[in-house]
């Protein structure tokens, strides 16, 4: 089916970390209507198998496309992008633009010829998928690469520990790992890490380049919508933020990830299926 410019953009994540991406998209594309889905019932994705994440991602994508009639899908989660992007793209057969958060970062990193050694920090599933490493190696084999799984970080941030002593100690412990010695750029390969960007910058005395999935992804999406003739000119409806399980903690943390107060709505996608 042909999409129209006035349809919404569907954005999904394992939980609320992808709100950092949604916020960047709303800043760069304020005229677009966004429908966000955070799969809080199944988070974290970061230590789940690829097959399980693929099944979650397909169900959520079908919901956004079939029920919410979205014109494009943004996988606002590195882990889901690593595990399920190619699968979703193949199932969709090019009918809808599907954007992941990994390719735009890879493009930005390889375009920068001042970088000689790049590091990646991300969930276990993302690091072990080897997807960043493969994509960079294929397009720029001369670029040295190292990767470190940092599984505590997403949970720590989600619990509200950032810009404090606890987050400093955990970040120091990870970033002092010898594997990261000598890097001149670091990929923040998890949507949560946007909240500790300043702390990471401080660790490196602002001496290395940091790449995250906010502006880079929003601008990539903008370019794709432009090319497809799908850029909206005027937003009719408010943005909607669904999550698949509601707790007080999610409500409180949403503001911290999105940067301003938003109303989360519970949508029991999994109960509906069972
Ligand atoms: N937001 C996810 C990502 O970007 C990490 C959180 C999770 O493990 O679900 O990889």
């Amino acid at each position: 089916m042909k999409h129209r410019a006035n349809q919404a953009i569907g954005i999904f994540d394992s939980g609320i970390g992808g709100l950092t991406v949604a916020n960047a998209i709303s800043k760069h594309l304020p005229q677009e209507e966004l429908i966000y889905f955070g799969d809080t019932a199944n988070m974290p994705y970061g230590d789940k198998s690829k097959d399980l994440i693929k099944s979650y991602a397909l169900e959520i994508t079908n919901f956004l496309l079939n029920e919410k009639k979205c014109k494009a899908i943004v996988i606002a989660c590195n882990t889901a992008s690593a595990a399920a992007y190619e699968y979703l793209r193949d199932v969709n057969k090019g009918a809808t633009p599907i954007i992941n958060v990994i390719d735009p970062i890879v493009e930005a990193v390889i375009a920068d010829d001042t970088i000689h050694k790049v590091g990646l920090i991300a969930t276990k599933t993302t690091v072990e998928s080897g997807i960043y490493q493969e994509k960079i190696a294929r397009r720029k084999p001369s670029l040295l690469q190292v990767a470190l799984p940092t599984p505590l970080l997403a949970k720590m941030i989600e619990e509200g520990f950032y810009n404090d002593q606890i987050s400093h100690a955990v970040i120091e412990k990870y970033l002092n790992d010898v594997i990261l010695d000598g890097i001149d750029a670091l990929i923040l390969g998890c949507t949560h890490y946007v909240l500790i960007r300043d702390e990471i910058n401080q660790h490196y005395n602002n001496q290395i380049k940091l790449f995250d999935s906010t502006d880079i992804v929003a601008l990539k999406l903008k370019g794709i919508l432009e090319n497809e003739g799908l850029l909206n000119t005027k937003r009719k409806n408010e943005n909607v933020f669904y999550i698949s399980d509601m707790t007080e903690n999610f409500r409180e943390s949403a503001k911290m990830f999105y940067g301003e107060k938003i109303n989360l709505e519970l949508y029991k996608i999994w109960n509906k299926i069972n």
Side-chain angles (χ1 to χ4, degrees):
M1 203 186 68
K2 188 111 181 60
H3 294 296
R4 294 180 317 276
N6 63 0
Q7 291 172 291
I9 298 168
I11 304 173
F12 76 90
D13 176 39
S14 59
I16 51 179
L19 288 171
T20 56
V21 185
N23 181 259
I25 293 173
S26 80
K27 290 222 167 85
H28 286 278
L29 297 166
Q31 74 284 9
E32 297 290 344
E33 182 184 331
L34 311 183
I35 299 182
Y36 182 89
F37 188 92
D39 192 10
T40 49
N42 290 312
M43 68 173 296
Y45 281 6
D47 51 11
K48 295 212 165 56
S49 72
K50 194 172 168 176
D51 279 351
L52 190 59
I53 297 168
K54 274 159 71 176
S55 69
Y56 294 152
L58 181 63
E59 206 56 55
I60 296 165
T61 301
N62 284 342
F63 162 71
L64 292 170
L65 291 179
N66 302 336
E67 286 195 39
K68 295 294 162 188
K69 309 286 179 223
C70 291
K71 64 179 174 184
I73 298 292
V74 178
I75 311 174
C77 172
N78 285 264
T79 310
S81 295
Y85 166 65
E86 284 174 8
Y87 172 64
L88 294 179
R89 190 197 54 192
D90 293 349
V91 170
N92 185 258
K93 298 194 179 80
T96 308
I98 299 182
I99 292 106
N100 67 76
V101 288
I102 295 175
D103 286 325
I105 295 182
V106 167
E107 279 166 29
V109 169
I110 63 172
D112 188 334
D113 285 328
T114 66
I115 301 171
H116 302 291
K117 183 174 178 182
V118 63
L120 164 71
I121 52 170
T123 64
K124 275 189 197 157
T125 304
T126 301
V127 170
E128 284 165 12
S129 75
I131 195 142
Y132 271 104
Q133 299 92 314
E134 273 166 37
K135 284 180 188 253
I136 292 172
R138 204 179 319 130
R139 296 177 60 184
K140 203 170 193 182
S142 60
L143 185 55
L144 296 173
Q145 296 188 62
V146 288
L148 179 72
T150 46
L152 271 186
L153 293 183
K155 193 70 204 151
M156 173 189 89
I157 298 163
E158 194 118 324
E159 290 296 330
F161 294 109
Y162 61 101
N163 289 330
D164 64 17
Q165 275 179 322
I166 291 176
S167 63
H168 272 29
V170 177
I171 291 166
E172 285 301 305
K173 176 80 184 154
Y174 278 134
L175 298 184
N176 283 330
D177 193 306
V178 287
I179 200 169
L180 296 175
D181 281 358
I183 55 168
D184 42 28
L186 183 65
I187 296 170
L188 312 190
C190 172
T191 50
H192 284 66
Y193 301 173
V194 175
L195 274 80
I196 53 168
R197 193 184 160 109
D198 288 347
E199 285 173 87
I200 295 174
N201 246 331
Q202 273 167 29
H203 172 87
Y204 290 108
N205 293 320
N206 297 312
Q207 293 303 305
I208 71 164
K209 293 189 175 160
L210 301 182
F211 292 85
D212 69 37
S213 46
T214 54
D215 296 336
I216 292 174
V217 174
L219 290 170
K220 178 77 186 177
L221 172 66
K222 188 175 181 184
I224 289 171
L225 293 179
E226 245 160 18
N227 280 344
E228 302 273 333
L230 286 175
L231 266 188
N232 201 4
T233 46
K234 196 168 189 305
R235 179 150 61 97
K236 279 203 312 257
N237 301 307
E238 290 301 311
N239 296 335
V240 183
F241 302 91
Y242 294 112
I243 56 173
S244 56
D245 186 34
M246 183 70 79
T247 65
E248 208 36 55
N249 190 36
F250 291 138
R251 265 192 219 285
E252 279 167 21
S253 305
K255 180 172 183 284
M256 140 186 135
F257 284 100
Y258 196 74
E260 58 191 81
K261 196 170 169 355
I262 51 169
N263 277 331
L264 293 180
E265 290 180 37
L266 176 62
Y267 188 90
K268 295 185 179 179
I269 193 171
W270 309 114
N271 301 30
K272 261 183 79 176
I273 290 161
N274 298 330

